[in-house]
Structures are given as structure tokens and as C-alpha cells.
Amino acid sequence: ILLQLFNIVNAQTESVDSIMERMHQLAKLYAESVKEYTAEVYIKSQMDIIKKNRGFRYIPGLFRIKDDENRFIVETFSDLHYTAPNIYDQKIKVYTGTLQEVKEIPGIKDYFHINVYKPFLIGRKLLSPLAPKSEKYYVFTLDSVTTDLQQGDEYHISFKPRNKSLQLIEGRMVVSKESLSVRRFAFRGKAELIDFSCDILMGELGSNQELLPTNHNLAVSYAFAGNVMEGYYETNICYN
């Protein structure tokens, strides 16, 4: 009970504006600090066809299926080579699943390559809450301050758009009070044809992977011309 009261008092006395101002200053430094890395990437995915009609087979970029197939399970192991500023060379080395070819729901490939510190999360489509002057577009709330035995004191900050826009997202992040690095980043939003939610866990505080994602869960719903698909992806990244 005392710990809960401590967290509530801290959340009321800390200024979320000052926290975000310092995070904005550090975001550019953190975004540019990672120049290159290699990693092994494991992705387990499940794709469900919720609704389809005769036009399903004509959806651009979609895989071919039999009429009675509605669920697909796929697992892949890949080698990933990243080079700044935004080059991701990912090569699948092991593939297993119920699909005969390696395919994804159209339009979601970039959701696996997110740098939480960059001004835009996916190309120039989604404005990050850590982008410079993002307070013009987002409302930030300091929900609580907690203490983790391994991570130390952490800020729990939620954010939501000031106005409706496909370029803005809603979510929350857990931030180290010590380094102001993101420990967890969860968000949801809409794009053309896609509703999505992402939950990203970052590397251990103080490690070489502190600024890099280690786990990434993604859920998407894709709708096109009366056809609806849902996809669920669990990603684990192991850095070399």
C-alpha cells in the first residue's frame, strides 16, 4: 500500500512536460547512435481469413489459397543486417508452415522495422510521440512512477492524438528514469485498409541492446473490398 501511495504522489508531482522535453532532446541522439548490427530474427505468425468473397483472389500481393482454407500458421528464422539510416536486409533461412510460399498480409512488412526514437515510426506514415515538437500533436499523461528491481525507477507515460489522423497513434510507454530510454512501447492506430496494434520490448537497461527491440508483438486487421483478414505476429530478436 505504501509503495502504491508513493507511486501516486510521484505521478502527481513529476512534470510530464519536463520529462518529454528531455526525451525529445535525447531521442535524436539515441536514434543515431545505432549505426549497424546483425541479428537472428524468429517470427511466429497466425493469419485468419474472417470474411472473403469472389474478389479475394484479386487482392494485390495476397497469397493463393484453397476455398476451404481459413487459418495459416507460419514460422520463420531470418538473418537481419541493419545499416543506418534505414537499410534492413533480412534473409529467411528457415521456413515452416501451412502456406506454400512466404507471404504476409499486404502492407505490414515495415511494422517489423520500427526505431522508436526516430521522428517517424514507419517511413513517413506515423508520427512518433518522440518526434520534435510532438506536443503539438499529442497529449501526454504521466500515469505512474514504479520501481523495478532490475530496471530501477520507471515512468509510465500514455499518449493520445489531439486530433484524429491516420498519421497519429495512441498508446503508452515505459521509460527509465535514469537514462530516459524506452523500456516498452505499445501503440495502436489505423492506416489505409489496416488497423494495427504493436507492443515492443527493448533490450536490458545498461546492455548493448538497451536501445534496440528484443521482442515485438503485432496484431493487424486488413479489410479490402469486403474481404477481412487478421494476423498475429510474435517476434524475437537475438543480436550477434
Side-chain angles (χ1 to χ4, degrees):
I1 296 176
L2 289 176
L3 180 59
Q4 291 176 345
L5 290 174
F6 174 79
N7 291 337
I8 292 172
V9 171
N10 267 357
Q12 292 174 342
T13 57
E14 293 275 1
S15 168
V16 70
D17 292 335
S18 64
I19 296 171
M20 293 309 304
E21 182 179 357
R22 288 186 290 140
M23 289 191 69
H24 286 147
Q25 294 171 355
L26 286 171
K28 187 175 187 298
L29 175 65
Y30 286 163
E32 296 176 352
S33 65
V34 179
K35 304 297 184 182
E36 184 179 12
Y37 64 76
T38 59
E40 292 183 334
V41 181
Y42 166 75
I43 301 177
K44 181 179 181 180
S45 59
Q46 174 181 310
M47 290 167 279
D48 295 326
I49 299 174
I50 308 301
K51 184 179 179 181
K52 64 180 177 180
N53 54 37
R54 293 181 178 179
F56 185 86
R57 67 182 64 184
Y58 302 110
I59 298 176
L62 200 59
F63 42 83
R64 297 180 180 179
I65 63 170
K66 297 179 181 178
D67 291 339
D68 58 347
E69 293 179 319
N70 293 302
R71 170 167 290 182
F72 308 92
I73 306 294
V74 172
E75 293 180 274
T76 61
F77 285 91
S78 304
D79 287 328
L80 174 62
H81 182 198
Y82 168 79
T83 307
N86 197 35
I87 300 175
Y88 293 88
D89 181 15
Q90 187 166 342
K91 297 178 180 178
I92 295 176
K93 58 181 181 180
V94 178
Y95 170 86
T96 181
T98 55
L99 277 175
Q100 296 181 355
E101 53 185 336
V102 181
K103 287 287 187 177
E104 304 290 355
I105 292 176
I108 72 162
K109 184 177 181 180
D110 291 339
Y111 289 81
F112 296 106
H113 300 149
I114 292 176
N115 186 329
V116 300
Y117 298 104
K118 288 192 174 182
F120 290 90
L121 299 178
I122 299 174
R124 297 190 65 84
K125 296 178 182 178
L126 300 179
L127 181 70
S128 170
L130 296 182
K133 300 181 180 180
S134 64
E135 65 274 7
K136 293 182 178 179
Y137 307 98
Y138 288 103
V139 176
F140 297 96
T141 303
L142 179 59
D143 299 318
S144 65
V145 183
T146 61
T147 299
D148 183 277
L149 292 178
Q150 293 182 333
Q151 304 288 348
D153 292 343
E154 295 178 329
Y155 297 120
H156 294 250
I157 299 172
S158 58
F159 52 88
K160 61 181 180 180
R162 292 186 181 274
N163 300 292
K164 290 185 178 181
S165 171
L166 293 182
Q167 284 193 297
L168 302 178
I169 56 176
E170 179 180 357
R172 65 191 187 281
M173 53 186 164
V174 179
V175 179
S176 167
K177 185 177 181 180
E178 176 185 354
S179 64
L180 291 183
S181 64
V182 176
R183 306 288 80 230
R184 186 172 186 172
F185 190 79
F187 63 94
R188 63 188 180 199
K190 296 176 180 284
E192 296 181 20
L193 309 178
I194 291 179
D195 290 1
F196 58 85
S197 64
C198 300
D199 190 357
I200 302 172
L201 294 179
M202 306 298 285
E204 185 178 348
L205 189 67
S207 71
N208 292 334
Q209 293 82 43
E210 178 177 352
L211 304 179
L212 296 170
T214 56
N215 297 85
H216 184 174
N217 293 329
L218 170 66
V220 297
S221 178
Y222 174 86
F224 181 83
N227 299 279
V228 179
M229 291 187 63
E230 292 180 351
Y232 308 92
Y233 303 83
E234 298 178 3
T235 303
N236 179 268
I237 306 173
C238 182
Y239 296 92
N240 300 325

